[in-house]
């Protein structure tokens, strides 16, 4: 029998701030009503009733001595049965609903208990001893609780153990068949939806935020934007006047500047909107755009660095943390996110149900779908198919649609709309030379043009050209700067920068920039179109009618410019040279040629299509234990965030972090780290501290770390909590970022 403790006079569910089981349960029930108010028609009344019933019992298992001692700071019962499995013992004796038992048990995915009879009997006797306290708690909610007979609880646990195995097998061998089965005929779908909704209510209650904010009329917001721009009869209204399109999944292919975003808002109407983009910078820009349109307290932002952005923009720390927590719980009616935050749920990590339940009751927009790698694209497409089966709606808005997705039946929209500007924005010249040798040409162009853009396929080549180019105002941007340095450079470019910007692919979709002329390494056709989109971008420029090119494409040595074939598949690059026509290039020709380039016929036999097909199959047959593992697969991550050791002696330059953490202007980062205990006492200071550290981190290829000293940050702070962050002895230069080693081979990192 579990050792009792006389100090247990009342039952806690949460410790910070202290909250009883009945208080927490009441908060969860209130949030279920918030979800029902917004999404009532998306879930059957039977399931709303079952969800409320599950909420009443989901935390009753916390009425155990091990849990109550642990929440009071005594961790000696670390091997106890998790409370979610104990809660099943309190389900009324006349309840035989296996789905209800599964929802209660798996609102947390934790290690399944040992079904040893003696251990179960001891836990059961402990529950009996604390039953009077639990009855007193639950009387507040108007229900009477009792323990089921021990034999019935044991049967429940045996059934639930099988359910753990089902979690692995249900999706592994029958996903294709599952997608063909109607929702009402397959209870596992109901399980996913109900567990996800319970988690949304439970997590938001614990965070002290609403589970769902009131609807925002996004159609009216878009129309307001049109009125500001004095657009009399927007084409978006005409297209969406066909009522069916408002209720169906579709694809909009349109030129830059034609109002794709406004179309997406109008399509979403008052329903919950999850708007996804490929890059953090473009996500931040869209978030700020929506905030201006709908108000700061109605839009949420989620990506790995979102808290840092909010902290910089808002001096009120309390407001920032509340907004951040609300966004993390997916509670805003308008959510802007990087795609990895949403579509990693396809890989079914523990807790994925919360995202799936949100997808089932929302509308999802995928912006610029062509910008993803084949592996990531496959996971997104799989996610769209599955959310459709769960009852959600999706819209793809893009400059060009990879045609093989349609030809191969990977994506099946109910409608498609194509809007291409009757415009000519670019005149192209192809040059056989190496772009690295075009220093004199860039100098001459910079004297005739205010803003010149030079894009290389690899960081190493961009850094080399930056060093060679002298006598002009220049700026370098790539992925191997610290987050702070890269952010400062992006802000400069988005401002009134004049001169030569030297970059890699990071500018293709992440920054809303407009340059006068582009010089670029040869890359696959869709990448070339994205790069051209950074030149002569604004519609007020009109058609480009100069006899001089504004796009120069350098073929050079295909092996060298593709990073030995590891950045882009060489066959795709070589095909592009023939696909790309010189002279004036219309928006329509770009769209048509891109679709042709990404047809099944043109991609057959390439690594691109093989990677996509394999990833599409595998994404329906894998399960991950953690969300972080799933995100690594989604992002094609072969890189690591580290703090360059040389930066430990630098000062903390960000005045917002200094002021909020009480750091002096002359104090080095190493000194701050050595007293990290000062910042770990409460959640707000801890998160501020961790976001300050991110400003000093840089993303580097994993292979680099085999050649340099590397050690965990905890070696400096003495805090095991920091062991996952690394310090590396990599060379770092403020002007060019991480300096490549002699003989370094380029990889997929840009």
């Amino acid at each position: 029998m579990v050792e009792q403790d006389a100090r247990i006079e009342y039952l806690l569910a949460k410790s910070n701030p202290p909250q009883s089981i009945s208080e927490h349960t009441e908060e969860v029930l209130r949030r279920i009503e918030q979800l029902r108010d917004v999404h009532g028609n998306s879930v059957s009344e039977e399931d709303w009733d079952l969800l409320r019933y599950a909420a009443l019992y989901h935390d009753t298992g916390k009425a155990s001595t091990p849990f109550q001692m642990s929440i009071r700071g005594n961790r000696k019962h670390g091997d106890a049965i998790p409370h979610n499995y104990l809660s099943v013992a309190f389900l009324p004796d006349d309840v035989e609903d296996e789905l209800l038992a599964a929802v209660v048990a798996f609102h947390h995915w934790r290690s399944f208990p040992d079904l040893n009879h003696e251990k179960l009997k001891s836990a059961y006797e402990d529950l009996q001893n604390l039953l009077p306290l639990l009855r007193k708690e639950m009387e507040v909610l108007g229900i009477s609780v009792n323990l089921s007979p021990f034999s019935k609880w044991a049967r429940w646990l045996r059934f639930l153990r099988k359910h753990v195995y089902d979690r692995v097998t249900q999706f592994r061998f029958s996903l294709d068949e599952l997608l063909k089965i109607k929702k009402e005929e397959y209870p596992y779908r109901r399980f996913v939806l109900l567990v996800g909704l319970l988690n949304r209510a439970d997590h938001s209650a614990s965070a002290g935020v609403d589970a769902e904010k009131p609807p925002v009329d996004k159609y009216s917001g878009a129309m307001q934007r049109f009125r500001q721009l004095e657009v009399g009869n927007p084409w978006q209204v005409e297209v969406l006047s066909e009522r069916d399109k408002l209720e169906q999944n579709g694809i909009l292919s349109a030129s830059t500047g034609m109002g794709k975003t406004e179309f997406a808002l109008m399509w979403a109407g008052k329903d919950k909107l999850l708007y996804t983009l490929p890059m953090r910078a473009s996500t931040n820009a869209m978030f700020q755009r929506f905030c201006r349109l709908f108000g700061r307290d109605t839009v949420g932002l989620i990506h790995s660095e979102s808290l840092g952005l909010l902290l910089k923009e808002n001096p009120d720390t309390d407001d920032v943390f509340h907004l951040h927590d609300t966004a993390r719980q997916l509670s805003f009616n308008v959510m802007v996110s990087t795609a990895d935050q949403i579509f990693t749920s396809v890989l079914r990590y523990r807790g994925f149900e919360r995202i799936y339940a949100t997808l089932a009751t929302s509308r999802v927009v995928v912006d610029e779908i062509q910008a993803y790698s084949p592996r990531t694209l496959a996971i997104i497409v799989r996610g769209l198919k599955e959310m459709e089966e769960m009852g959600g709606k999706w819209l793809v808005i893009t400059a060009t649609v990879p045609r093989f997705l349609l030809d191969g039946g990977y994506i099946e929209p109910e409608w498609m709309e194509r809007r291409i500007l009757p415009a000519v924005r670019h005149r192209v010249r192809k040059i056989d030379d190496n772009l690295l040798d075009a220093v004199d040409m860039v100098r001459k162009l910079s004297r005739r043009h205010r803003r010149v853009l030079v894009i290389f396929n690899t960081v190493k080549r961009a850094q080399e050209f930056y060093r060679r180019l002298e006598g002009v105002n220049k700026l370098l941007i790539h992925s191997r700067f610290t987050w702070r340095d890269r952010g400062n450079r992006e802000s400069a470019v988005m401002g009134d920068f004049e001169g030569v910007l030297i970059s890699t692919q990071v500018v293709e979709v992440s920054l809303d920039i407009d340059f006068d002329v582009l010089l670029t390494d040869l890359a696959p056709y869709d990448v070339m179109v994205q790069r051209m989109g950074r030149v002569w971008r604004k519609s007020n420029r009109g058609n480009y009618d100069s006899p001089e090119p504004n796009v120069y494409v350098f073929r050079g040595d295909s092996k060298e410019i593709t990073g030995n074939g590891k950045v882009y598949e060489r066959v795709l690059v070589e095909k592009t040279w023939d696909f790309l026509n010189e002279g004036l290039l219309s928006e329509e020709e770009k769209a048509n040629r891109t679709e042709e380039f990404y047809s099944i016929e043109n991609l057959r036999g390439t690594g691109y299509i093989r990677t996509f097909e394999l990833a599409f199959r595998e994404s329906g047959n894998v399960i991950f234990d953690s969300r972080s593992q799933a995100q690594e697969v989604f992002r094609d991550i072969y890189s690591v965030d580290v703090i360059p050791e040389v930066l430990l002696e630098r000062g903390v330059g960000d005045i917002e972090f200094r002021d909020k953490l009480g750091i002096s202007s002359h104090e080095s980062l190493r000194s701050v780290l050595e007293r990290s205990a000062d910042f770990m006492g409460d959640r707000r200071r801890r998160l501020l501290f961790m976001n300050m550290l991110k400003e000093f981190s840089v993303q580097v290829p994993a292979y680099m770390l085999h050649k340099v000293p590397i050690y965990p940050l905890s070696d400096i702070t003495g805090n095991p909590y920091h062991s996952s962050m690394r310090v590396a002895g990599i060379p770092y230069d403020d002007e060019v970022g991480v300096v490549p080693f002699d003989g370094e081979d380029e990889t997929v990192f840009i």
Side-chain angles (χ1 to χ4, degrees):
M1 179 176 165
V2 176
E3 181 183 349
Q4 296 288 320
D5 193 292
R7 288 179 295 170
I8 302 178
E9 299 175 356
Y10 58 93
L11 299 176
L12 286 174
K14 304 290 176 184
S15 60
N16 188 23
Q19 194 175 50
S20 70
I21 291 176
S22 62
E23 289 170 338
H24 175 66
T25 302
E26 192 169 28
E27 290 298 312
V28 173
L29 288 167
R30 185 170 72 82
R31 284 159 175 81
I32 287 174
E33 289 307 308
Q34 290 177 342
L35 291 167
R36 186 171 180 269
D37 287 344
V38 176
H39 305 298
N41 295 331
S42 300
V43 180
S44 71
E45 196 57 43
E46 177 187 2
D47 281 349
W48 284 121
D49 288 341
L50 191 150
L51 185 61
R52 284 188 286 262
Y53 209 63
L56 280 170
Y57 289 94
H58 81 290
D59 269 0
T60 50
K62 291 181 177 179
S64 72
T65 299
F67 183 89
Q68 292 299 316
M69 295 301 296
S70 176
I71 205 170
R72 288 166 166 82
N74 184 340
R75 307 290 180 180
K76 66 179 180 179
H77 299 290
D79 62 343
I81 297 175
H83 79 268
N84 43 303
Y85 301 114
L86 297 175
S87 294
V88 177
F90 291 102
L91 291 176
D93 191 32
D94 60 348
V95 169
E96 297 293 340
D97 192 329
E98 293 181 348
L99 179 59
L100 173 63
V103 172
V104 170
F106 297 113
H107 76 279
H108 294 300
W109 282 100
R110 288 177 175 154
S111 298
F112 199 79
D114 180 0
L115 297 187
N116 174 276
H117 179 83
E118 292 304 317
K119 185 173 182 179
L120 294 181
K121 197 68 176 175
S122 175
Y124 187 81
E125 291 172 359
D126 178 60
L127 295 177
Q128 285 180 314
N129 287 331
L130 289 178
L131 182 58
L133 282 178
L134 182 62
R135 282 176 172 158
K136 189 175 179 180
E137 277 288 320
M138 302 307 282
E139 281 176 4
V140 177
L141 300 174
I143 66 168
S144 175
V145 292
N146 290 288
L147 271 170
S148 298
F150 175 77
S151 59
K152 181 173 183 180
W153 180 48
R155 286 199 307 274
W156 275 131
L157 290 179
R158 286 193 292 272
F159 159 73
L160 293 168
R161 179 174 59 182
K162 178 180 180 299
H163 206 76
V164 170
Y165 298 136
D166 284 349
R167 175 181 183 269
V168 176
T169 58
Q170 290 283 9
F171 285 116
R172 283 204 168 175
F173 63 80
S174 62
L175 182 61
D176 290 337
E177 289 76 16
L178 180 152
L179 290 172
K180 299 173 185 175
I181 301 173
K182 294 180 180 178
K183 290 189 287 292
E184 60 268 20
E185 295 174 354
Y186 193 70
Y188 199 78
R189 279 209 186 93
R190 289 180 67 203
F191 167 76
V192 170
L193 177 64
L194 291 168
V195 168
L197 290 172
L198 180 57
N199 280 341
R200 287 201 60 199
D202 190 15
H203 295 177
S204 59
S206 298
V209 301
D210 291 334
E212 200 69 77
K213 291 290 188 180
V216 174
D217 187 351
K218 293 168 281 295
Y219 192 104
S220 296
M223 290 301 294
Q224 177 185 341
R225 174 65 174 159
F226 287 135
R227 285 191 291 272
Q228 291 172 350
L229 297 173
E230 298 182 352
V231 177
N233 186 29
W235 61 265
Q236 292 87 343
V237 174
E238 175 191 343
V239 173
L240 291 174
S241 63
E242 299 175 37
R243 188 69 191 172
D244 287 348
K245 288 186 177 178
L246 286 169
E247 303 301 327
Q248 294 175 338
N249 307 312
I251 296 178
L252 170 66
S253 174
S255 303
T256 299
M258 286 205 70
K260 294 191 295 291
T261 301
E262 284 74 17
F263 182 94
L265 293 173
M266 297 169 76
W267 171 81
K270 291 185 178 180
D271 291 343
K272 188 180 187 74
L273 171 63
L274 303 178
Y275 195 107
T276 68
L277 297 112
M279 306 283 286
R280 278 190 292 257
S282 52
T283 304
N284 292 342
M286 190 63 70
F287 166 71
Q288 290 160 342
R289 179 176 174 182
F290 285 172
C291 285
R292 290 191 295 271
L293 196 57
F294 302 117
R296 177 62 196 84
D297 58 349
T298 63
V299 185
L301 174 69
I302 47 173
H303 60 63
S304 59
E305 309 296 330
S306 57
L307 179 58
L309 175 75
L310 297 176
L311 287 168
K312 289 181 178 180
E313 292 192 340
N314 194 327
D316 191 327
T317 306
D318 289 339
D319 283 352
V320 166
F321 279 101
H322 181 77
L323 294 169
H324 180 63
D325 288 343
T326 304
R328 286 183 62 202
Q329 301 308 325
L330 305 173
S331 301
F332 288 108
N333 188 254
V334 180
M335 297 290 310
V336 186
S337 169
T338 47
D340 65 293
Q341 299 292 322
I342 302 299
F343 289 105
T344 45
S345 57
V346 173
L347 303 177
R348 296 171 195 85
Y349 55 84
R350 294 188 178 195
F352 82 98
E353 296 92 348
R354 184 175 72 101
I355 301 293
Y356 261 45
T358 307
L359 294 175
T361 55
S362 302
R363 293 181 178 239
V364 173
V365 170
V366 180
D367 197 346
E368 301 299 351
I369 197 170
Q370 83 289 342
Y372 295 96
S373 71
R375 179 180 286 110
T376 302
L377 178 61
I379 296 172
I380 290 174
V381 170
R382 172 71 73 182
L384 294 179
K385 292 178 75 71
E386 294 188 11
M387 74 163 289
E388 183 177 343
E389 291 298 317
M390 289 289 293
K393 300 292 182 186
W394 55 262
L395 173 68
V396 171
I397 59 174
T398 182
T400 55
V401 183
R403 203 171 83 194
F404 77 92
L405 294 178
L406 301 168
D407 296 343
Y410 294 106
I411 191 169
E412 298 176 293
E414 294 169 280
W415 57 265
M416 286 188 64
E417 183 73 22
R418 197 167 189 255
R419 293 276 166 163
I420 306 299
L421 274 177
V424 177
R425 291 173 169 170
H426 305 110
R427 182 183 290 275
V428 177
R429 176 177 296 171
K430 299 195 292 188
I431 300 175
D432 268 324
D433 298 338
N434 192 322
L435 181 54
L436 277 175
D437 298 326
V439 171
D440 289 339
M441 181 179 178
V442 170
R443 267 199 217 100
K444 291 176 183 177
L445 287 170
S446 69
R447 288 195 287 268
R448 300 205 308 268
H449 298 282
R450 192 171 65 89
R451 287 158 66 93
V452 177
L453 178 60
V454 186
I455 300 181
F456 289 91
N457 289 349
T458 65
V459 171
K460 188 175 181 180
R461 287 169 58 78
Q463 290 173 325
E464 175 61 27
F465 189 82
Y466 179 84
R467 292 190 183 96
R468 294 185 187 184
L469 183 64
E470 296 178 347
V472 301
N473 185 39
K474 59 183 179 178
L475 186 66
L476 177 66
I477 294 182
H478 54 70
S479 64
R480 293 192 203 167
F481 282 105
T482 64
W483 291 112
R484 179 174 64 177
D485 287 349
R486 180 171 162 183
N488 290 338
R489 288 163 185 269
E490 288 177 349
S491 296
V493 173
M494 296 291 285
D496 56 0
F497 172 78
E498 294 187 13
V500 180
L501 174 63
I502 303 160
S503 183
T504 58
Q505 296 94 311
V506 295
V507 301
E508 286 168 15
V509 292
S510 62
L511 298 179
D512 183 11
I513 56 178
D514 187 13
F515 277 69
D516 303 315
V517 62
L518 166 70
L519 298 88
T520 175
D521 275 338
L522 180 65
Y525 196 89
D526 65 311
V527 176
M528 300 305 302
V529 170
Q530 286 292 325
R531 294 181 185 184
M532 291 181 204
R534 308 301 106 184
V535 175
W536 210 259
R537 180 178 178 83
K538 303 301 182 184
S539 58
N540 59 9
R541 286 194 183 226
N543 285 333
Y544 187 79
D545 57 4
S546 170
E548 291 296 317
N550 61 354
V551 174
Y552 296 88
V553 180
F554 287 75
R555 186 180 196 178
D557 177 77
S558 61
K559 178 178 179 180
E560 180 183 357
I561 64 171
T562 58
N564 204 22
K566 296 179 182 177
V567 177
Y568 299 118
E569 187 179 355
R570 189 173 299 121
V571 66
L572 295 182
V573 175
E574 291 170 350
K575 282 175 178 284
T576 299
W577 187 255
D578 295 327
F579 257 74
L580 188 62
N581 294 328
E582 287 196 297
L584 289 173
L585 188 61
S586 70
E587 295 300 293
E588 184 171 8
E589 182 181 351
K590 284 194 293 184
N592 291 339
R593 295 293 276 171
T594 302
E595 290 181 15
E596 184 182 350
F597 188 83
Y598 280 95
S599 65
I600 286 180
E601 293 79 10
N602 193 52
L603 292 178
R604 186 172 286 116
T606 65
Y608 182 99
I609 199 69
R610 286 195 300 270
T611 299
F612 175 88
E613 290 173 343
L614 178 63
F616 186 78
R617 289 195 300 271
E618 288 182 343
S619 64
N621 299 293
V622 295
I623 290 176
F624 289 85
D625 284 334
S626 71
R627 186 165 177 260
S628 60
Q629 290 176 333
Q631 284 182 321
E632 287 182 6
V633 171
F634 180 89
R635 296 173 184 163
D636 286 341
I637 287 181
Y638 300 96
S639 61
V640 183
D641 275 352
V642 297
I643 297 176
E645 190 172 36
V646 66
L647 299 185
L648 294 177
E649 310 311 322
R650 305 278 179 89
V652 179
D654 195 316
I655 191 168
E656 288 88 355
F657 284 121
R658 288 208 314 262
D659 289 347
K660 289 171 181 174
L661 290 172
I663 299 170
S664 65
S665 58
H666 64 274
E667 192 170 5
S668 70
L669 177 59
R670 183 186 295 277
S671 172
V672 173
L673 290 171
E674 288 172 347
R675 61 183 190 91
S676 64
D678 296 349
F679 314 114
M680 304 304 289
D682 66 78
R683 176 174 176 266
R684 282 177 168 80
R685 287 175 64 80
R686 182 170 66 250
L687 287 173
L688 281 167
F689 176 72
M690 295 305 292
N691 273 272
M692 180 205 72
L693 293 184
K694 287 180 182 178
E695 296 285 293
F696 286 88
S697 69
V698 62
Q699 195 174 72
V700 297
Y703 76 84
M704 270 192 173
L705 303 181
H706 297 305
K707 305 179 181 181
V708 298
I710 182 169
Y711 52 90
L713 192 67
S714 54
D715 284 2
I716 301 175
T717 66
N719 189 334
Y721 182 79
H722 301 139
S723 60
S724 61
M725 185 169 282
R726 302 280 168 168
V727 177
I730 54 176
Y732 187 85
D733 181 276
D734 290 340
E735 274 200 82
V736 298
V738 174
V739 180
F741 304 122
D742 291 339
E744 175 189 341
D745 181 26
E746 279 290 0
T747 69
V748 293
F749 301 99
I750 57 177

